[in-house]
Amino acid sequence: MSRTIRTRLRLGLAASAFLLGATALPAPAHAADAPDYTITVDPAAKGPEIGRTMYGVFFEDINRAADGGLYAELVQNRSFEYSTDDNRSYTPLTAWTVDGTAQVVNDSGRLGDRNRDYLSLAAGSSVTNSGYNTGIAVQEGEKYDFSVWARADAGTTLTVTLQDSGGTLATARRVAVRKDGWAQYKATFTATRTSTTGRLTVAADAATALDMVSLFPRDTYRHEPNGLRKDLAEKVAALHPGFVRFPGGCLVNTGSMQDYSEASGWQRKRSYQWKDTVGPVEQRATNADFWGYNQSYGLGYYEYFRFAEDIGAMPLPVVPALVTGCGQNQAVDDDALLERHIQDTLDLVEFANGPVTSEWGGLRARMGHPKPFHLTHIEVGNEENLPKEFFARFTRFRAAIQAKYPYMTVISNSGPDDSGTTFDTAWQLNRDAGVDMVDEHYYNSPQWFLQNNDRYDSYDRGGPKVFLGEYASQGNAFKNGLAEAAYMTGLERNADVVQLASYAPLFANEDYVQWRPDMVWFNNHASWGSANYQVQKLFMNNVGDRVVPSTATTTPAVSGPITGAVGLSTWATSAAYDDVKVTAADGTTLLGDDFSGGAAQWTHTGTGSWSVQDGAYVQSDTAAENTMVSAGDPAWHDYDLHVKATKKAGKEGFLVAFGVKDTGNYYWWNLGGWNNTQTAVEQAVDGGKSTLIAKPGSIETGRAYDIDIKVRGRQVTLYLDGQQWGGFTDDKPAEPFRQVVTRDARTGELIVKVVNAQSSAARTAIDLGGARVASKAEATTLAAAPDAVNTETATPVAPVTSTVTGVAARFTYTFPANSVTFLRIKQK
């Protein structure tokens, strides 16, 4: 995942390029009308090939994507392993209620060394589990498989019931427990009615030890034991992804790199390490999820490989590089530990591909899959902010992997942003070393995606290939999907450089959200694809085999200077501002404030607590985020802004804004952002932020800084303590009309893909370069209001398929306002 937690929580909405307007239905236009755009195709020319694995998905256990999500287990905290290490509110009995006497025990009587806790249930007592969301969801007539590991000093009987506030949901089951140590016991329920608020209760006649209390729907995806939730798995399968990246993200490069053992003190806050997640589920480790909950590892590497195989996708695992990121940013300096992780990575390849006679291939076979999984790609590390330290370790992984498995593609990365010093340094290291592929990540505003369709046009065709492993436009409205669709036309046009791409994140449980936006949303009984999901599905199911070169006319760019008022803000920081002065280009003073007479010129639009103290304007709340105050005229342009700023306390530095139009549209110079590690200029458009320029940098507490910003037209120059820090020109147009054409060799069709991200229909002349084509074509269109959002009960963003007539080597078609349209045209 990209940037820091703080940046993850800045929720973007939309780009200014999107205007509300009525949505038209796709229809051919009258030939007499002049076209708004022209698309010219050269069917005789050969563009780059598009690989089968071009588009894929990225699964990270965020927003309860695994436990309580894709992993079909209905019991929460089934092994009583929840801990304050996972979440400060957790106890070993979270999600359980006790009737009678019960306690969680951690002693030598446990089920196994890595399954540390178990429940001691007194005679005549019971425990009840509340499941996820509103409870345990069951469907009338469906079967549910119960299991439990139990131990009793004397033989006893467990009574297991499934009920909700309305009564029983299935006939109770009585399970006889023997007295010869830990054993697993099973029973099956058939639901007598449907409920989303079920509770599972286990009662004991005599004192009993319990662990791994489980309830699974019988009907899981591909009907596997320890299986996957069917509706969620089917939504992924319907994308027909070329690959599945797993397991992270921040899960890979945060926390301790030690194992889960007595020698390491049973560390709970660890990086995701594959050996913790395989073998019998009752023997797997537990871990604190980076996103604030627990990982049971019931969905581990074996289940991941099986799922990728089931949906016909290439597995693409990510392993730790021993450099932490996601705000931690530490290089682990332990050569023996590094060597252990390198060997673990070699063992992972053996687990995936090795013969059943090998150690790890044998484990795969014992788990039920003697055939290899045909692993060909592996990624080392994720978004490391320390590129040199990361690359020194990456090269050792790469050398060891390719020495033993020369067929493996070993993927590097370029840090957490789309540009900046870390990005540039990482890319230079990757180029110099001839790395096969580099993973790029970025989460930007819709406007950024509309402005940067040409990003990969200038990449070196002979250099490392690009894996766009994480990207999204900061929202789940259709306007976000439109911006991403427009960008994807550029990815396809550059398929010789960008060979893999995956939107992120994949899943979000609506009641446990740490990050937005997300592709698929769900609760305990339903799931729905976002507008972004519909865009991804349309592209993934209509990729084609080769790009057919084409060009299109463009929309005139909006011109004019950067305009707006000025602002001051902080983020989890207390700071004092003084001597604010805004001067027009001709020397006229537009604003002068030393706060000797108060702060009446400033309007407080954000959070936090502002007051005048000792002749300075002070924001004193070190927990508040985006505490913006602004002053001046939104029509101001061509001016110089001076501010004196002093950090008083907190995590970061200063936010000095310019070009402020309103609360969602502005620029700010973010000095000492990202946990006081980076300084950058960010642009907000309708709430969605993009980074325009960034460099490493921090702010000292108690030191006064002179901050100067010079705005001339669309050129901005920034000075820190009298020295030029940097500058930029914001003049890239946000082009709303984008297209690409591909050929499907299997069907013999040209696929004309057009995005019209504006509020008016686009009448378009299409010249197929003399190609002989059928007179009818199939059109698949996504068209909706820009702010339309799919929910559990409504799907305003959904594909509509129609037949288009009058298709010829030259014809005209009107693309609806706010739409994505794919025309499949059969060649004769």
Side-chain angles (χ1 to χ4, degrees):
M1 288 301 161
S2 188
R3 303 180 184 165
T4 65
I5 308 307
R6 187 202 70 187
T7 305
R8 279 184 172 272
L9 298 177
R10 292 182 181 175
L11 308 181
L13 295 178
S16 61
F18 298 106
L19 303 175
L20 290 175
T23 300
L25 292 175
H30 299 293
D33 298 330
D36 302 305
Y37 298 92
T38 299
I39 297 173
T40 304
V41 183
D42 185 357
K46 281 191 174 182
E49 291 185 11
I50 306 176
R52 184 189 65 81
T53 57
M54 173 74 184
Y55 295 121
V57 294
F58 166 44
F59 180 93
E60 179 177 8
D61 191 358
I62 185 173
N63 311 315
R64 283 208 176 274
D67 297 326
L70 183 62
Y71 187 48
E73 174 65 77
L74 297 174
V75 175
Q76 183 178 177
N77 189 19
R78 67 182 178 186
S79 195
F80 310 100
E81 297 290 340
Y82 276 25
S83 163
T84 52
D85 285 337
D86 308 323
N87 188 296
R88 284 184 293 180
S89 69
Y90 281 4
T91 75
L93 282 171
T94 292
W96 294 93
T97 56
V98 176
D99 184 4
T101 303
Q103 63 176 353
V104 175
V105 181
N106 181 338
D107 64 15
S108 59
R110 64 179 64 89
L111 178 59
D113 280 347
R114 301 214 297 174
N115 194 334
R116 310 289 294 165
D117 292 345
Y118 66 94
L119 185 73
S120 177
L121 188 63
S125 300
S126 66
V127 287
T128 299
N129 191 265
S130 58
Y132 296 95
N133 300 93
T134 56
I136 293 173
V138 296
Q139 288 283 329
E140 181 180 355
E142 294 295 318
K143 294 184 182 298
Y144 296 87
D145 292 323
F146 168 82
S147 65
V148 63
W149 284 80
R151 171 174 55 79
D153 293 335
T156 188
T157 299
L158 301 177
T159 301
V160 188
T161 57
L162 191 58
Q163 71 286 324
D164 63 10
S165 60
T168 61
L169 294 171
T171 302
R173 293 288 182 259
R174 291 178 61 80
V175 177
V177 177
R178 301 183 297 274
K179 60 177 183 178
D180 53 355
W182 286 104
Q184 188 180 35
Y185 302 93
K186 298 180 180 180
T188 298
F189 291 97
T190 300
T192 54
R193 56 189 177 87
T194 296
S195 176
T196 62
T197 59
R199 299 291 187 267
L200 179 75
T201 298
V202 181
D205 291 346
T208 311
L210 303 178
D211 208 342
M212 297 294 290
V213 183
S214 174
L215 186 69
F216 262 86
R218 175 75 58 83
D219 188 18
T220 58
Y221 187 71
R222 296 298 174 101
H223 306 280
E224 296 176 26
N226 201 49
L228 305 181
R229 180 170 150 175
K230 192 172 184 180
D231 62 325
L232 295 182
E234 286 177 343
K235 280 186 170 56
V236 180
L239 294 168
H240 295 106
F243 65 88
V244 182
R245 180 176 180 249
F246 175 94
C250 290
L251 302 189
V252 165
N253 68 337
T254 55
S256 169
M257 299 293 164
Q258 300 290 339
D259 61 2
Y260 191 56
S261 67
E262 184 176 9
S264 67
W266 304 106
Q267 293 190 46
R268 285 289 288 265
K269 296 184 177 182
R270 309 183 312 284
S271 62
Y272 196 109
Q273 300 174 48
W274 79 270
K275 289 180 181 178
D276 287 342
T277 76
V278 294
V281 290
E282 70 276 6
Q283 296 176 16
R284 298 182 190 181
T286 187
N287 201 7
D289 187 287
F290 176 77
W291 300 109
Y293 52 92
N294 176 269
Q295 297 176 92
S296 74
Y297 287 147
L299 194 170
Y301 256 92
Y302 177 76
E303 291 75 24
Y304 156 61
F305 280 134
R306 284 296 301 263
F307 181 50
E309 180 181 68
D310 286 344
I311 64 177
M314 177 182 80
L316 203 165
V318 188
V319 298
L322 274 71
V323 178
T324 61
C326 301
Q328 297 182 0
N329 302 337
Q330 297 292 322
V332 179
D333 189 15
D334 184 331
D335 198 66
L337 186 59
L338 176 62
E339 285 297 328
R340 194 269 285 173
H341 275 267
I342 290 172
Q343 184 59 51
D344 281 355
T345 303
L346 297 175
D347 293 343
L348 174 60
V349 180
E350 183 180 293
F351 177 75
N353 296 348
V356 297
T357 53
S358 68
E359 178 183 1
W360 297 104
L363 174 60
R364 182 194 70 241
R366 291 192 298 276
M367 293 184 73
H369 199 281
K371 293 183 179 179
F373 285 117
H374 306 294
L375 180 66
T376 59
H377 290 62
I378 197 163
E379 183 173 357
V380 177
N382 171 75
E383 294 184 6
E384 281 72 24
N385 263 311
L386 304 173
K388 293 180 181 178
E389 291 85 345
F390 159 72
F391 204 74
R393 291 155 178 77
F394 170 82
T395 54
R396 290 178 63 177
F397 276 89
R398 181 192 184 203
I401 295 168
Q402 293 189 332
K404 188 169 183 179
Y405 303 106
Y407 60 85
M408 292 293 298
T409 297
V410 185
I411 302 171
S412 180
N413 75 80
S414 59
D417 296 299
D418 59 81
S419 60
T421 303
T422 296
F423 178 89
D424 293 339
T425 301
W427 256 106
Q428 190 60 52
L429 291 166
N430 286 309
R431 277 192 294 267
D432 290 347
V435 168
D436 294 329
M437 185 172 285
V438 178
D439 188 1
E440 294 189 354
H441 295 178
Y442 36 84
Y443 296 90
N444 289 319
S445 69
Q447 175 157 308
W448 185 94
F449 283 95
L450 293 176
Q451 288 176 321
N452 286 277
N453 180 273
D454 62 350
R455 175 180 176 88
Y456 297 106
D457 291 359
S458 59
Y459 270 51
D460 180 5
R461 267 49 199 166
K465 303 306 180 185
V466 172
F467 171 22
L468 180 50
E470 298 182 31
Y471 72 100
S473 72
Q474 301 175 336
N476 277 142
F478 187 46
K479 55 196 168 192
N480 300 98
L482 284 170
E484 292 153 5
Y487 194 72
M488 292 170 80
T489 66
L491 300 182
E492 290 194 5
R493 187 176 65 251
N494 290 284
D496 54 333
V497 170
V498 184
Q499 296 194 338
L500 305 170
S502 50
Y503 177 100
L506 176 58
F507 286 125
N509 184 316
E510 65 175 353
D511 292 334
Y512 309 91
V513 181
Q514 293 85 41
W515 170 252
R516 301 169 189 263
D518 305 285
M519 200 194 306
V520 176
W521 289 78
F522 63 93
N523 51 37
N524 66 351
H525 62 279
S527 60
W528 55 98
S530 65
N532 319 68
Y533 172 86
Q534 296 295 349
V535 166
Q536 293 290 326
K537 185 177 179 182
L538 185 58
F539 273 84
M540 289 194 204
N541 283 277
N542 296 277
V543 180
D545 305 286
R546 184 181 290 276
V547 175
V548 180
S550 61
T551 58
T553 53
T554 59
T555 306
V558 176
S559 60
I562 292 173
T563 60
V566 298
L568 308 170
S569 188
T570 59
W571 199 287
T573 301
S574 173
Y577 294 100
D578 203 356
D579 298 334
V580 179
K581 188 173 183 179
V582 181
T583 308
D586 63 4
T588 305
T589 298
L590 301 176
L591 172 71
D593 204 337
D594 63 3
F595 303 104
S596 58
Q601 300 184 81
W602 298 83
T603 300
H604 186 190
T605 57
T607 62
S609 178
W610 288 88
S611 62
V612 176
Q613 301 176 21
D614 300 323
Y617 203 18
V618 178
Q619 198 294 114
S620 55
D621 187 343
T622 56
E625 299 177 343
N626 194 0
T627 64
M628 179 82 84
V629 293
S630 61
D633 189 338
W636 280 352
H637 61 88
D638 296 292
Y639 56 77
D640 297 324
L641 167 61
H642 171 80
V643 179
K644 187 175 287 293
T646 305
K647 176 180 176 177
K648 298 175 71 68
K651 296 181 179 179
E652 305 207 347
F654 315 119
L655 295 167
V656 180
F658 56 98
V660 179
K661 291 184 171 61
D662 52 45
T663 56
N665 295 276
Y666 54 85
Y667 303 80
W668 66 21
W669 192 7
N670 186 349
L671 296 99
W674 293 266
N675 288 328
N676 207 15
T677 62
Q678 184 169 287
T679 293
V681 176
E682 296 177 280
Q683 181 185 16
V685 178
D686 290 343
K689 290 189 181 70
S690 300
T691 300
L692 303 181
I693 181 174
K695 300 178 182 179
S698 60
I699 295 298
E700 298 175 23
T701 301
R703 174 185 163 189
Y705 291 83
D706 284 306
I707 297 167
D708 291 275
I709 301 171
K710 181 178 182 179
V711 181
R712 294 294 184 272
R714 303 201 68 80
Q715 172 71 41
V716 178
T717 310
L718 306 111
Y719 301 85
L720 184 60
D721 288 334
Q723 300 295 313
Q724 184 172 330
W725 175 87
F728 66 92
T729 302
D730 181 23
D731 61 357
K732 293 194 75 172
E735 172 59 59
F737 186 87
R738 296 291 188 185
Q739 60 81 37
V740 70
V741 180
T742 64
R743 178 180 284 112
D744 187 331
R746 183 181 62 83
T747 64
E749 292 171 311
L750 294 175
I751 312 173
V752 179
K753 311 174 187 184
V754 177
V755 180
N756 181 27
Q758 57 191 334
S759 60
S760 57
R763 185 172 183 276
T764 306
I766 301 174
D767 184 347
L768 297 178
R772 298 179 64 246
V773 296
S775 61
K776 293 182 180 180
E778 179 185 87
T780 302
T781 303
L782 294 171
D787 289 325
V789 176
N790 288 350
T791 67
E792 179 183 353
T793 57
T795 311
V797 182
V800 175
T801 301
S802 61
T803 299
V804 178
T805 59
V807 177
R810 293 184 180 181
F811 69 106
T812 302
Y813 189 85
T814 298
F815 295 96
N818 304 306
S819 69
V820 184
T821 305
F822 281 27
L823 299 174
R824 296 192 70 110
I825 303 171
K826 189 169 290 291
Q827 293 182 273
K828 293 182 178 179

